[in-house]
Amino acid sequence: MTTGKGAATRLRIVEAAAAEIRERGANATTLDDVGRRSGTGKGQMFHYFPQGREELLLAVAVHEADRVFEGQQPYLDELTSRAAWEAWRDLIVEQYRDQGLYCPLGVLISDVGRYSPASQAVAAQLVRRWQECVRAGIEATQAAGEADPELDADRTAAAVIGAIQGGVTVLLSTGSTEHLEAGLNLCLDRLLL
Amino acid sequence: MTTGKGAATRLRIVEAAAAEIRERGANATTLDDVGRRSGTGKGQMFHYFPQGREELLLAVAVHEADRVFEGQQPYLDELTSRAAWEAWRDLIVEQYRDQGLYCPLGVLISDVGRYSPASQAVAAQLVRRWQECVRAGIEATQAAGEADPELDADRTAAAVIGAIQGGVTVLLSTGSTEHLEAGLNLCLDRLLL
């Protein structure tokens, strides 16, 4: 159990690490930097993250994913009509274009180490959680008679998540939102009646 | 102009760098490692790559992309029927699942630096080249009467490239090909008659 004060300290460390990573990249971020920025000593850092740097990076990924999910509300929880899906699509394109290119999964992939079992477990959990939201939206839209009832909701949700990840990957590498928009549009075109 | 012998030396350096990066990641690969592995000295390395490490990493990305394109032949150049598209899809899923998780764009994104103009230019060129192949396939399949003639071939090709990139991104982070398969299947389902 972490006390209220302990939880606040842990959060301060995670937020400091997230800010360092956004500014300088995970590779350039050391525990010393995070300690300095959060005003915590090595002892405290290892109290909250006994396994050190990788454990902290995983906590940052979960924390940043929460911000991404929150940033997609209320749209993400109300995907029940064509209008709602299109508003969500527009929000995603705008967010990734204007609010920076930071992606929590990117940290897990390129910085924690793609072959780490802990990293894969956290990434799978984040993807699964996001996909569940989209799947629920597909089922609600099918129930409302506005989406193709023949489609498997979970597999279609997986395709939508993949389209976003792929669009963001291309955006990160080329600077263009073309693939993000094309991928989401094709998914919505197939899904909606 | 590079002589035949010069081109061979340059290629030896690029292949040594590519092998190091596949084994240890770009971040852990130094010019010294590449020199040792390729049997070339610092002077030669800077003769072929006067701008140093970033220039070499860009050359590696282009070289590795060639391998990816070649690995998708003859399917990639003959996308004219449902059978051909499905064979290409199966090949891609199998390649990324079984032959390792290495992706040239990944090097550009996470290791050369996402904000480097040189990196973005090379990435955009690789994406554009791949997308052109897929677009030509969509147009050929439309001409053969086996694909929806209403679809914009270039935007649909962008969605297909995005689906692959996204599927590979999720595969890299979770170890599962679920999103790669779901994304490609949704694209083919929308495209083919």
Side-chain angles (χ1 to χ4, degrees):
Chain A
M1 280 296 287
T2 311
T3 63
K5 197 177 160 206
T9 305
R10 185 181 186 282
L11 180 62
R12 203 170 70 234
I13 296 170
V14 170
E15 287 182 340
E20 286 285 323
I21 290 169
R22 277 196 299 271
E23 283 172 21
R24 307 143 45 97
N27 283 311
T29 297
T30 66
L31 289 181
D32 284 341
D33 298 326
V34 177
R36 238 189 324 273
R37 185 164 194 143
S38 60
T40 47
K42 270 237 148 95
Q44 265 181 307
M45 302 256 287
F46 278 98
H47 173 71
Y48 291 105
F49 301 99
Q51 272 134 58
R53 193 167 179 282
E54 170 165 338
E55 191 178 7
L56 175 57
L57 289 176
L58 293 177
V60 169
V62 171
H63 177 74
E64 294 290 272
D66 282 338
R67 293 202 328 153
V68 171
F69 288 129
E70 280 162 26
Q72 290 179 20
Q73 298 303 353
Y75 304 95
L76 183 57
D77 281 347
E78 293 172 6
L79 297 171
T80 55
S81 66
R82 171 177 285 276
W85 283 95
E86 289 177 349
W88 180 61
R89 173 201 62 198
D90 292 346
L91 177 80
I92 287 175
V93 173
E94 192 191 327
Q95 275 187 342
Y96 280 107
R97 185 176 49 208
D98 300 338
Q99 294 175 27
L101 298 172
Y102 185 76
C103 168
L105 278 181
V107 172
L108 289 170
I109 295 168
S110 64
D111 299 311
V112 179
R114 53 190 63 162
Y115 301 113
S116 147
S119 165
Q120 290 206 340
V122 170
Q125 172 200 320
L126 294 180
V127 168
R128 173 51 47 193
R129 186 176 144 205
W130 196 13
Q131 190 168 324
E132 285 297 326
C133 294
V134 175
R135 185 188 54 70
I138 291 171
E139 288 174 349
T141 314
Q142 286 174 323
E146 295 201 41
D148 185 343
E150 302 275 300
L151 286 176
D152 180 284
D154 193 53
R155 278 202 290 270
T156 306
V160 171
I161 299 299
I164 297 173
Q165 285 299 325
V168 171
T169 302
V170 177
L171 171 60
L172 286 171
S173 43
T174 69
S176 159
T177 59
E178 173 192 354
H179 296 75
L180 179 59
E181 296 186 65
L184 278 171
N185 283 337
L186 188 135
C187 288
L188 297 196
D189 182 38
R190 178 66 190 84
L191 173 67
L192 299 170
L193 295 176
Chain B
M1 280 297 286
T2 310
T3 63
K5 196 177 160 208
T9 305
R10 185 181 186 281
L11 179 63
R12 203 171 70 235
I13 296 170
V14 169
E15 287 182 338
E20 286 285 323
I21 289 169
R22 278 197 298 271
E23 282 172 23
R24 307 143 46 97
N27 283 311
T29 297
T30 67
L31 290 181
D32 284 340
D33 298 327
V34 177
R36 237 188 326 272
R37 185 165 193 142
S38 60
T40 49
K42 268 235 149 97
Q44 264 182 309
M45 302 257 286
F46 278 98
H47 172 71
Y48 292 105
F49 302 98
Q51 272 134 56
R53 194 167 179 283
E54 170 165 339
E55 191 178 7
L56 175 57
L57 288 177
L58 293 176
V60 169
V62 171
H63 177 74
E64 294 290 273
D66 282 337
R67 293 202 328 153
V68 171
F69 288 128
E70 280 162 25
Q72 291 178 19
Q73 299 301 354
Y75 303 96
L76 182 57
D77 281 346
E78 292 172 6
L79 296 171
T80 54
S81 66
R82 171 178 286 276
W85 282 95
E86 289 177 349
W88 181 61
R89 173 201 62 198
D90 292 347
L91 177 80
I92 287 175
V93 173
E94 191 191 326
Q95 275 187 342
Y96 280 108
R97 186 177 48 210
D98 300 338
Q99 293 175 28
L101 297 173
Y102 186 75
C103 168
L105 279 181
V107 172
L108 289 170
I109 295 168
S110 63
D111 299 312
V112 178
R114 53 190 63 162
Y115 300 114
S116 146
S119 165
Q120 290 206 339
V122 170
Q125 171 200 319
L126 295 180
V127 168
R128 172 51 48 194
R129 186 175 145 207
W130 196 13
Q131 190 168 325
E132 284 298 325
C133 295
V134 175
R135 185 188 55 70
I138 291 171
E139 287 174 350
T141 315
Q142 286 173 323
E146 295 201 42
D148 184 343
E150 302 275 301
L151 286 176
D152 180 283
D154 194 52
R155 278 202 290 270
T156 306
V160 171
I161 299 300
I164 297 172
Q165 285 299 326
V168 171
T169 301
V170 177
L171 172 60
L172 286 172
S173 42
T174 69
S176 159
T177 59
E178 173 191 354
H179 296 75
L180 179 58
E181 296 186 67
L184 278 170
N185 283 336
L186 188 137
C187 288
L188 297 196
D189 182 38
R190 177 66 191 83
L191 173 66
L192 300 170
L193 295 176

